[in-house]
Amino acid sequence: MKEHVLKKAPGFAACLVIGLIAQGIAKFVPSVGAALFAIGIGMVCGNTFLNKSCMDEGTKFSERSLLEYSIVLTGATLVLSDIIAVGLGGVGFIACQMALTITAAYLIGRRFGFGRRFCLLMGAGNAVCGSSAIATVSPVVGADSKDKGISITIVNVTGTVLMVLLPVITGLVYGHAMLPTTAMIGGVMQSIGQVIASAGLVGPEYVPDATIFKIIRIVFIVLVALAFSRLNPEEEGSLFAGGKAAGGVKAGVPWFIIGFFILAVVNTLGVVPAPVSAAAKFISGQFEIIALAAIGMRVKFRDLVKEGPRALGYGLSVGACQVLFALGLIRLFLL
């Protein structure tokens, strides 16, 4: 046990420090958020003075295990009854928006020449909740560190662009009417932090409703993970052939998805005290930032040079589709 801890210590410590630095910087640039800074600083450090083999065990642990723990703890912060607040129309809008986003991300990604696993990660990241969704479905589809790192980076960059554009779009199209504005921001933005920041640019009164639309997407991650577990992520054969996961092994529901759902139900029943829920939210956020720093450290510049421009074009194309889908679906379900 001591030997395992010592092997993980250098890499974990580096990710922890990078995470703390990222959060410190984010206080001065809250509209960007700590996630993008953590990935960026991690990439710089992991390709320069921290590019050492002694870091590998700790970064692997931080990348995989901490994100799984973070997802489980997120369940203790959610109340499933929040879905009721937006009605059947709101739930229908989110369900269709997510399905269309995943489909578009897959088809556009294949057109850009990316592999199935990367396309599925991009679909989950854009449709659900950015980095957390990518982390959730990664083990389901057997994605490697390179695909995870680049997809998280591109999804965060796309979200940052949309974070500024959506308040402008909702002002022009809806005159910032509450329901369509919050549905657009909560139904399109990649991370919950970006939802809060984007809605805040319109006005603080828009933040709660936009957050509820986002929470519905987070709850639906369970269904997305289940659906992805029935797909064939290998390049050979039909995508829908046989419901086999990576390596030809039939996929089950990941343990952290089960844990997430159990804690969400328990919290909905009022069993979780408010201070415990607040602590779970804080710890979950810390774990996620540390894990994102680890993912950044494991992304190599040579991969970004090779895939970066093409991946960015891919991400922005998916983001444009998300906005177009939302404009049509909001009119169909909510207006």
Side-chain angles (χ1 to χ4, degrees), residues 10-47:
F12 172 76
C15 296
L16 174 61
V17 171
I18 291 171
L20 293 173
I21 293 172
Q23 291 178 83
I25 296 174
K27 291 181 180 179
F28 297 97
V29 196
S31 61
V32 176
L36 197 57
F37 286 121
I39 294 171
I41 297 171
M43 286 169 53
V44 172
C45 295
N47 282 273

Side-chain angles (χ1 to χ4, degrees), residues 41-244:
I41 297 171
M43 286 169 53
V44 172
C45 295
N47 282 273
T48 52
F49 66 96
L50 291 183
N51 188 13
K52 301 176 181 178
S53 59
C54 65
M55 297 286 171
D56 290 345
E57 289 296 323
T59 55
K60 286 179 183 177
F61 166 77
S62 300
E63 173 191 12
R64 182 183 64 252
S65 299
L66 290 187
L67 265 178
E68 292 176 351
Y69 300 148
S70 172
I71 292 163
V72 173
L73 290 172
T74 299
T77 70
L78 297 178
V79 178
L80 300 183
S81 59
D82 285 339
I83 296 176
I84 300 173
V86 301
L88 292 177
V91 175
F93 158 64
I94 290 297
C96 292
Q97 176 76 9
M98 291 175 63
L100 288 172
T101 297
I102 291 171
T103 302
Y106 181 79
L107 294 177
I108 294 172
R110 297 299 279 176
R111 180 68 66 177
F112 270 78
F114 290 104
R116 284 181 179 173
R117 290 184 174 90
F118 186 77
C119 294
L120 292 173
L121 294 184
M122 288 288 288
N126 284 287
V128 189
C129 52
S131 309
S132 298
I134 291 172
T136 299
V137 303
S138 290
V140 175
V141 301
D144 59 22
S145 297
K146 172 188 169 184
D147 283 346
K148 281 190 286 186
I150 294 177
S151 60
I152 286 176
T153 301
I154 298 303
V155 165
N156 274 281
V157 170
T158 302
T160 301
V161 173
L162 291 177
M163 181 178 63
V164 178
L165 288 180
L166 289 188
V168 177
I169 293 172
T170 53
L172 293 173
V173 178
Y174 306 121
H176 286 152
M178 179 63 73
L179 181 59
T181 296
T182 54
M184 171 70 76
I185 293 174
V188 171
M189 288 304 312
Q190 279 68 10
S191 76
I192 194 162
Q194 291 166 342
V195 168
I196 294 170
S198 186
L201 291 176
V202 182
E205 66 275 17
Y206 291 82
V207 173
D209 286 359
T211 302
I212 289 174
F213 278 103
K214 182 62 176 178
I215 286 174
I216 298 173
R217 292 165 66 193
I218 296 174
V219 171
F220 280 1
I221 185 59
V222 178
L223 300 180
V224 173
L226 285 171
F228 278 24
S229 73
R230 306 303 301 169
L231 300 178
N232 169 29
E234 304 293 342
E235 293 303 308
E236 299 79 19
S238 170
L239 178 65
F240 302 98
K244 298 291 184 178

